[in-house]
Amino acid sequence: MDYQGIVLDPLDNVATVITHLQPGQIKIVSGDNVQVLTILEPVKFGHKVAIKDIPSGTPIRKYGVDIGVSTCAIKTGAWVHTHNVAGQRGRGDQHTEGA
C-alpha cells in the first residue's frame, strides 16, 4: 500500500486516514488520482483530514454525504473532528421528547 488516506467521492473535502499519522507528507488516493498532502497535526486511524482549506460554516463532505458544518476555518492537512465540526446527524443521547 502506497497511500495513507482515501477519498471516495470527488466532491468530498476530507479524506479518511487508514493509519495513525504524525505531521508530515502523506499520499491520499481518490479513484485513480493520488494527492500529496502535508498533515499538520497527529491524526488517528479512521479520523478525517481536510484535503483543501475549509472556510467556517462550510459543509463537511465525506463519502459523498454532508456530515457536519465547520465551526471555524480548517486548513488543508488539519484534523477534522468534533473540535472544529458541528455534526448534522442525529444523536440518540440528545433526543428530545415530542421533537
Side-chain angles (χ1 to χ4, degrees):
M1 173 177 54
D2 193 28
Y3 56 90
Q4 296 79 31
I6 57 172
V7 176
L8 293 185
D9 187 282
L11 298 178
D12 290 351
N13 54 10
V14 296
T16 302
V17 301
I18 57 173
T19 187
H20 293 310
L21 299 175
Q22 293 299 318
Q25 288 193 330
I26 66 164
K27 291 182 183 175
I28 301 293
V29 66
S30 178
D32 293 333
N33 299 317
V34 175
Q35 173 184 353
V36 175
L37 187 67
T38 300
I39 299 299
L40 303 177
E41 57 198 308
V43 181
K44 292 182 180 179
F45 169 84
H47 284 234
K48 301 169 294 299
V49 294
I51 59 172
K52 58 179 82 173
D53 287 344
I54 303 172
S56 181
T58 300
I60 301 299
R61 189 168 179 91
K62 176 182 174 183
Y63 303 152
V65 176
D66 290 349
I67 61 167
V69 176
S70 59
T71 58
C72 61
I74 304 171
K75 292 184 179 189
T76 303
W79 177 37
V80 178
H81 199 56
T82 57
H83 67 285
N84 55 13
V85 175
Q88 289 181 302
R89 295 184 172 189
R91 287 180 46 179
D93 65 333
Q94 294 182 339
H95 178 74
T96 304
E97 197 64 38

